[in-house]
Amino acid sequence: QVQLVESGGELVQPGGSLRLSCAASGRDFEAYAMGWFRQAPGKEREFVAAVSWSGGSTYYADSVKGRFTVSRDNANNMVYLQMNSLKSEDAAVYYCAAGPKDGAIITVIRGDIDSWGQGTQVTVSS
């Protein structure tokens, strides 16, 4: 298993940008497909984006497609979520997630998660 710690959440104005970071510790980080989920108050946690172990494949929820970009740096055990053109409905606690070891990106997309971070708050408000 990997341990995950998110950072980068803060207050941003509508239309603004933010980059979230996720630092992973543990062995074999490159063996895990990774993803981002979010949970707004009173709502269920929802999938946002996923990236394959190599970084070569990515997948996004329709609500963020074209605005968010997920990436990873296997040399430094990091995953990122670049968020542009932020909207009020993007406000939520964002969670970094690791799928099962040696699993495909589809495992993360389907919510089959082995490890969660503690979350980082993103607030979008003027």
Side-chain angles (χ1 to χ4, degrees), residues 101-116:
K101 188 177 181 183
D102 299 322
I105 188 174
I106 190 66
T107 60
V108 175
I109 297 166
R110 291 176 176 171
D112 184 5
I113 302 301
D114 265 14
S115 299
W116 293 96

PDB file of all heavy atoms in Angstrom, residues 101-116:
ATOM      1  N   LYS A 101      -2.786  -2.445  -6.339  1.00  0.00           N
ATOM      2  CA  LYS A 101      -1.461  -2.575  -6.927  1.00  0.00           C
ATOM      3  C   LYS A 101      -1.533  -3.381  -8.218  1.00  0.00           C
ATOM      4  O   LYS A 101      -2.222  -4.408  -8.287  1.00  0.00           O
ATOM      5  CB  LYS A 101      -0.499  -3.266  -5.956  1.00  0.00           C
ATOM      6  CG  LYS A 101       0.942  -3.267  -6.437  1.00  0.00           C
ATOM      7  CD  LYS A 101       1.867  -3.883  -5.417  1.00  0.00           C
ATOM      8  CE  LYS A 101       3.307  -3.857  -5.920  1.00  0.00           C
ATOM      9  NZ  LYS A 101       4.231  -4.509  -4.973  1.00  0.00           N
ATOM     10  N   ASP A 102      -0.866  -2.875  -9.248  1.00  0.00           N
ATOM     11  CA  ASP A 102      -0.846  -3.490 -10.575  1.00  0.00           C
ATOM     12  C   ASP A 102      -2.205  -3.460 -11.270  1.00  0.00           C
ATOM     13  O   ASP A 102      -2.418  -4.170 -12.256  1.00  0.00           O
ATOM     14  CB  ASP A 102      -0.334  -4.936 -10.521  1.00  0.00           C
ATOM     15  CG  ASP A 102       1.090  -5.031 -10.007  1.00  0.00           C
ATOM     16  OD1 ASP A 102       1.898  -4.146 -10.360  1.00  0.00           O
ATOM     17  OD2 ASP A 102       1.392  -5.972  -9.248  1.00  0.00           O
ATOM     18  N   GLY A 103      -3.100  -2.644 -10.741  1.00  0.00           N
ATOM     19  CA  GLY A 103      -4.411  -2.545 -11.358  1.00  0.00           C
ATOM     20  C   GLY A 103      -4.433  -1.557 -12.513  1.00  0.00           C
ATOM     21  O   GLY A 103      -3.632  -0.632 -12.576  1.00  0.00           O
ATOM     22  N   ALA A 104      -5.380  -1.709 -13.401  1.00  0.00           N
ATOM     23  CA  ALA A 104      -5.535  -0.803 -14.534  1.00  0.00           C
ATOM     24  C   ALA A 104      -6.277   0.457 -14.110  1.00  0.00           C
ATOM     25  O   ALA A 104      -6.880   0.515 -13.035  1.00  0.00           O
ATOM     26  CB  ALA A 104      -6.291  -1.513 -15.649  1.00  0.00           C
ATOM     27  N   ILE A 105      -6.236   1.449 -14.957  1.00  0.00           N
ATOM     28  CA  ILE A 105      -6.877   2.724 -14.647  1.00  0.00           C
ATOM     29  C   ILE A 105      -8.368   2.560 -14.400  1.00  0.00           C
ATOM     30  O   ILE A 105      -8.961   3.290 -13.613  1.00  0.00           O
ATOM     31  CB  ILE A 105      -6.597   3.740 -15.770  1.00  0.00           C
ATOM     32  CG1 ILE A 105      -7.083   5.138 -15.385  1.00  0.00           C
ATOM     33  CG2 ILE A 105      -7.223   3.279 -17.084  1.00  0.00           C
ATOM     34  CD1 ILE A 105      -6.712   6.220 -16.389  1.00  0.00           C
ATOM     35  N   ILE A 106      -8.994   1.573 -15.029  1.00  0.00           N
ATOM     36  CA  ILE A 106     -10.428   1.356 -14.860  1.00  0.00           C
ATOM     37  C   ILE A 106     -10.799   1.067 -13.407  1.00  0.00           C
ATOM     38  O   ILE A 106     -11.902   1.380 -12.966  1.00  0.00           O
ATOM     39  CB  ILE A 106     -10.913   0.217 -15.793  1.00  0.00           C
ATOM     40  CG1 ILE A 106     -12.434   0.152 -15.795  1.00  0.00           C
ATOM     41  CG2 ILE A 106     -10.300  -1.125 -15.382  1.00  0.00           C
ATOM     42  CD1 ILE A 106     -13.107   1.368 -16.398  1.00  0.00           C
ATOM     43  N   THR A 107      -9.865   0.500 -12.640  1.00  0.00           N
ATOM     44  CA  THR A 107     -10.166   0.207 -11.243  1.00  0.00           C
ATOM     45  C   THR A 107     -10.406   1.494 -10.467  1.00  0.00           C
ATOM     46  O   THR A 107     -11.306   1.563  -9.625  1.00  0.00           O
ATOM     47  CB  THR A 107      -9.023  -0.585 -10.582  1.00  0.00           C
ATOM     48  OG1 THR A 107      -7.821   0.187 -10.635  1.00  0.00           O
ATOM     49  CG2 THR A 107      -8.797  -1.909 -11.285  1.00  0.00           C
ATOM     50  N   VAL A 108      -9.634   2.499 -10.759  1.00  0.00           N
ATOM     51  CA  VAL A 108      -9.807   3.791 -10.081  1.00  0.00           C
ATOM     52  C   VAL A 108     -11.094   4.453 -10.551  1.00  0.00           C
ATOM     53  O   VAL A 108     -11.864   4.989  -9.752  1.00  0.00           O
ATOM     54  CB  VAL A 108      -8.595   4.703 -10.343  1.00  0.00           C
ATOM     55  CG1 VAL A 108      -8.827   6.089  -9.745  1.00  0.00           C
ATOM     56  CG2 VAL A 108      -7.335   4.085  -9.749  1.00  0.00           C
ATOM     57  N   ILE A 109     -11.329   4.422 -11.837  1.00  0.00           N
ATOM     58  CA  ILE A 109     -12.550   5.029 -12.389  1.00  0.00           C
ATOM     59  C   ILE A 109     -13.792   4.424 -11.741  1.00  0.00           C
ATOM     60  O   ILE A 109     -14.767   5.123 -11.446  1.00  0.00           O
ATOM     61  CB  ILE A 109     -12.585   4.838 -13.909  1.00  0.00           C
ATOM     62  CG1 ILE A 109     -11.410   5.568 -14.559  1.00  0.00           C
ATOM     63  CG2 ILE A 109     -13.906   5.329 -14.490  1.00  0.00           C
ATOM     64  CD1 ILE A 109     -11.170   5.178 -16.006  1.00  0.00           C
ATOM     65  N   ARG A 110     -13.755   3.139 -11.470  1.00  0.00           N
ATOM     66  CA  ARG A 110     -14.893   2.444 -10.867  1.00  0.00           C
ATOM     67  C   ARG A 110     -14.932   2.582  -9.357  1.00  0.00           C
ATOM     68  O   ARG A 110     -15.853   2.071  -8.727  1.00  0.00           O
ATOM     69  CB  ARG A 110     -14.844   0.968 -11.260  1.00  0.00           C
ATOM     70  CG  ARG A 110     -15.135   0.712 -12.732  1.00  0.00           C
ATOM     71  CD  ARG A 110     -14.988  -0.754 -13.078  1.00  0.00           C
ATOM     72  NE  ARG A 110     -15.368  -1.017 -14.466  1.00  0.00           N
ATOM     73  CZ  ARG A 110     -15.180  -2.166 -15.087  1.00  0.00           C
ATOM     74  NH1 ARG A 110     -14.609  -3.176 -14.453  1.00  0.00           N
ATOM     75  NH2 ARG A 110     -15.547  -2.320 -16.339  1.00  0.00           N
ATOM     76  N   GLY A 111     -13.948   3.253  -8.774  1.00  0.00           N
ATOM     77  CA  GLY A 111     -13.947   3.460  -7.331  1.00  0.00           C
ATOM     78  C   GLY A 111     -13.372   2.333  -6.520  1.00  0.00           C
ATOM     79  O   GLY A 111     -13.590   2.252  -5.307  1.00  0.00           O
ATOM     80  N   ASP A 112     -12.627   1.451  -7.143  1.00  0.00           N
ATOM     81  CA  ASP A 112     -11.953   0.367  -6.434  1.00  0.00           C
ATOM     82  C   ASP A 112     -10.629   0.924  -5.907  1.00  0.00           C
ATOM     83  O   ASP A 112      -9.619   0.904  -6.596  1.00  0.00           O
ATOM     84  CB  ASP A 112     -11.715  -0.809  -7.383  1.00  0.00           C
ATOM     85  CG  ASP A 112     -11.104  -2.008  -6.675  1.00  0.00           C
ATOM     86  OD1 ASP A 112     -10.959  -1.968  -5.438  1.00  0.00           O
ATOM     87  OD2 ASP A 112     -10.753  -2.987  -7.365  1.00  0.00           O
ATOM     88  N   ILE A 113     -10.658   1.418  -4.684  1.00  0.00           N
ATOM     89  CA  ILE A 113      -9.557   2.195  -4.124  1.00  0.00           C
ATOM     90  C   ILE A 113      -8.926   1.476  -2.948  1.00  0.00           C
ATOM     91  O   ILE A 113      -9.632   1.025  -2.043  1.00  0.00           O
ATOM     92  CB  ILE A 113     -10.039   3.589  -3.683  1.00  0.00           C
ATOM     93  CG1 ILE A 113     -10.661   4.343  -4.861  1.00  0.00           C
ATOM     94  CG2 ILE A 113      -8.901   4.371  -3.051  1.00  0.00           C
ATOM     95  CD1 ILE A 113      -9.743   4.564  -6.033  1.00  0.00           C
ATOM     96  N   ASP A 114      -7.592   1.391  -2.968  1.00  0.00           N
ATOM     97  CA  ASP A 114      -6.862   0.773  -1.868  1.00  0.00           C
ATOM     98  C   ASP A 114      -6.429   1.775  -0.805  1.00  0.00           C
ATOM     99  O   ASP A 114      -6.344   1.428   0.375  1.00  0.00           O
ATOM    100  CB  ASP A 114      -5.628   0.045  -2.401  1.00  0.00           C
ATOM    101  CG  ASP A 114      -5.877  -1.433  -2.651  1.00  0.00           C
ATOM    102  OD1 ASP A 114      -7.067  -1.828  -2.657  1.00  0.00           O
ATOM    103  OD2 ASP A 114      -4.913  -2.183  -2.836  1.00  0.00           O
ATOM    104  N   SER A 115      -6.126   3.000  -1.220  1.00  0.00           N
ATOM    105  CA  SER A 115      -5.628   4.001  -0.270  1.00  0.00           C
ATOM    106  C   SER A 115      -6.235   5.353  -0.584  1.00  0.00           C
ATOM    107  O   SER A 115      -6.325   5.732  -1.759  1.00  0.00           O
ATOM    108  CB  SER A 115      -4.105   4.118  -0.336  1.00  0.00           C
ATOM    109  OG  SER A 115      -3.471   2.899  -0.019  1.00  0.00           O
ATOM    110  N   TRP A 116      -6.585   6.070   0.483  1.00  0.00           N
ATOM    111  CA  TRP A 116      -7.112   7.427   0.358  1.00  0.00           C
ATOM    112  C   TRP A 116      -6.203   8.390   1.121  1.00  0.00           C
ATOM    113  O   TRP A 116      -5.654   8.048   2.160  1.00  0.00           O
ATOM    114  CB  TRP A 116      -8.506   7.534   0.960  1.00  0.00           C
ATOM    115  CG  TRP A 116      -9.586   6.787   0.262  1.00  0.00           C
ATOM    116  CD1 TRP A 116     -10.064   5.549   0.574  1.00  0.00           C
ATOM    117  CD2 TRP A 116     -10.356   7.234  -0.866  1.00  0.00           C
ATOM    118  NE1 TRP A 116     -11.077   5.191  -0.286  1.00  0.00           N
ATOM    119  CE2 TRP A 116     -11.278   6.211  -1.185  1.00  0.00           C
ATOM    120  CE3 TRP A 116     -10.359   8.399  -1.634  1.00  0.00           C
ATOM    121  CZ2 TRP A 116     -12.189   6.321  -2.233  1.00  0.00           C
ATOM    122  CZ3 TRP A 116     -11.266   8.514  -2.685  1.00  0.00           C
ATOM    123  CH2 TRP A 116     -12.158   7.479  -2.979  1.00  0.00           C
TER     124      TRP A 116
END
